[in-house]
Every structure is written in structure tokens, then in C-alpha cells.
Amino acid sequence: MTTLTLARRPFVDVTGLRFRLWPVLLAGVLMQAVLWPARQLARSIAHQHADFFHAHMWAFVGLAMVLQTLAGLACIALMRRVLPQAPTYLRWPARGRSLVGPALAIGVGMGLLMLVADYWPQLAAHRAPDAHYGTAPADVTGWIVVMASSGLCEEPIFRGLLVGMLTALVPGRVRIGRVELPVAGVLVALLFGLAHYETFRVDPLPLAIAQQLYAFAFGLIYVWLMERSRSLLASAPS
């Protein structure tokens, strides 16, 4: 009698990895070099027009996003010259693989998850969240537009620039169950969480930890959408 033994694949598997620390440190520095100056410039402009921006905080957030996006695109243009083998995914999705529908569905699910994670004490107490967003029609519209456009700001920086750079400098793939991602995507998901470090200064510790965890999880989902569609457009709506 012959007994056949089927080898089980490990649930987590890493292949083709050539890890180097300096590109990861460079990515962290580059992330701050894009985000921090743009945020400070937005604060300087807001200080000069304090009355308007204090009354319309969404305008300040939108201004910071625009400046960060421009800085990210400038860095991508430079990276294309210095590191031409790095993929940027600044293209239309592959034919028949836009994934915009699934991305929108994922975005709605993420929004609900963030709502619960950020405001569960108020929701459990059946009272409105203590958020100072303003209830005037202009403010409501402004916040909706800014939040819906946040992916257009974040994706060129985190997925287009940082994942692209680390894909070239830290090659390797990681498989978790049936899902396979570039190691660069996992590293940038960690950086994506760290980019929200200010939550530890302004929010209670459980809330700050929850935001770090879902930012990391979202970062993995975004890079999965990007790779499947071969474009940043699929990850931007979510």
C-alpha cells in the first residue's frame, strides 16, 4: 500500500525577499518630507486667514491635502528619473479590472468601521458623537468633498511613491492565506499607520491604538486593490 502525503502550505509565506533596512528608513524620512512641510505650509496660510479657516476647518484639511498631493507627485516625477524601475501605478486600470465597484463597497465598509472605532462610547450611550465639524450646509458639503477626496491625496504618496520605491529596493512577496502582496506593501502599511501618530497626542489611548490598527489593515487592502487593477484609481475611492 502506498500512502500519499500532501504537503500543506504554510498560512504565511515569504518568497524572494531581499531585505535592506536603509530603504525602509528612507521611505519613513520621505513620507515625513512630503507630509510635514505641506501641513506646515497649510497651517501658515491658515494663520494668515484665521477667521475663515477657524470657521471652516474642512477648508484647512482640504488645503493640506492639495499641498501634500502636489509634493507627492513632484517626488514621483523625481523617482521616475532616479529609480526608473520602480512602478508608480499612475495609469488607467487594466482592461476589465478597474475594481471601482468593489473599491466603493470596501470604502463604505471602512467608513462604518471607522465610525464605530472612533465613536463607540457615544454610540453605546446613544448620543451624538462629540465632533466639531459644523452643521451648516457649506460645512457639511465641504467635509463630504474633503473626505471623499482623501484617497486622491494619500494614494499617490503611499502607494504610488513609497510602495513603488520599496518594490524596487526591497523586493519580495508575502502570502497570507490566499492573498499575496509585495513586502513593500506591508512595510508601507506600517508606515501608513505611523503617519497617524498624532492620534496618540489628541485621542484616548484605546482610540489611538484602534486607529493605528485599522490604518494598517486599510493599507494592506489598498495595495491589494492597486496590484489587482494595476492602477491607483481602484484604491483611491476607498
Side-chain angles (χ1 to χ4, degrees):
M1 178 181 295
T2 302
T3 302
L4 296 178
T5 302
L6 298 179
R8 291 186 177 181
R9 294 197 307 174
F11 183 75
V12 178
D13 189 27
V14 179
T15 57
L17 175 62
R18 190 175 62 180
F19 183 79
R20 292 176 291 181
L21 181 59
W22 71 263
V24 182
L25 297 178
L26 175 61
V29 171
L30 186 57
M31 176 184 72
Q32 289 302 321
V34 172
L35 297 178
W36 187 82
R39 190 183 302 123
Q40 292 304 111
L41 179 57
R43 285 173 177 166
S44 177
I45 295 174
H47 182 72
Q48 298 174 19
H49 306 277
D51 291 340
F52 173 78
F53 283 100
H54 182 73
H56 307 287
M57 283 300 297
W58 60 268
F60 166 75
V61 175
L63 175 62
M65 286 169 47
V66 169
L67 295 174
Q68 289 170 349
T69 302
L70 294 176
L73 292 175
C75 288
I76 288 176
L78 178 62
M79 183 178 70
R80 281 178 162 172
R81 292 180 174 271
V82 177
L83 198 66
Q85 69 271 32
T88 63
Y89 297 98
L90 286 176
R91 62 172 70 94
W92 290 106
R95 187 178 182 89
R97 300 178 65 181
S98 68
L99 298 180
V100 172
L104 290 173
I106 291 172
V108 171
M110 288 179 175
L112 294 175
L113 175 61
M114 293 170 64
L115 176 66
V116 173
D118 292 352
Y119 299 110
W120 66 266
Q122 294 93 326
L123 295 174
H126 301 285
R127 58 186 176 87
D130 301 325
H132 305 288
Y133 291 121
T135 57
D139 291 324
V140 173
T141 302
W143 279 116
I144 291 175
V145 171
V146 167
M147 292 297 101
S149 304
S150 61
L152 298 176
C153 165
E154 294 174 345
E155 293 314 293
I157 298 170
F158 287 95
R159 258 56 65 179
L161 175 64
L162 300 183
V163 171
M165 183 186 75
L166 290 181
T167 297
L169 298 178
V170 187
R173 307 283 298 180
V174 56
R175 181 181 53 78
I176 306 173
R178 296 184 177 182
V179 177
E180 185 175 318
L181 300 171
V183 170
V186 179
L187 295 173
V188 173
L190 289 171
L191 293 176
F192 187 59
L194 293 175
H196 299 79
Y197 67 91
E198 287 191 354
T199 58
F200 286 102
R201 296 169 50 189
V202 299
D203 293 322
L205 183 60
L207 174 56
I209 293 175
Q211 290 176 339
Q212 293 290 312
L213 291 175
Y214 68 58
F216 173 70
F218 293 170
L220 296 180
I221 294 173
Y222 296 156
V223 78
W224 178 82
L225 286 168
M226 180 187 73
E227 275 214 326
R228 294 273 294 182
S229 67
R230 312 300 299 172
S231 170
L232 293 179
L233 284 179
S235 52
S238 56

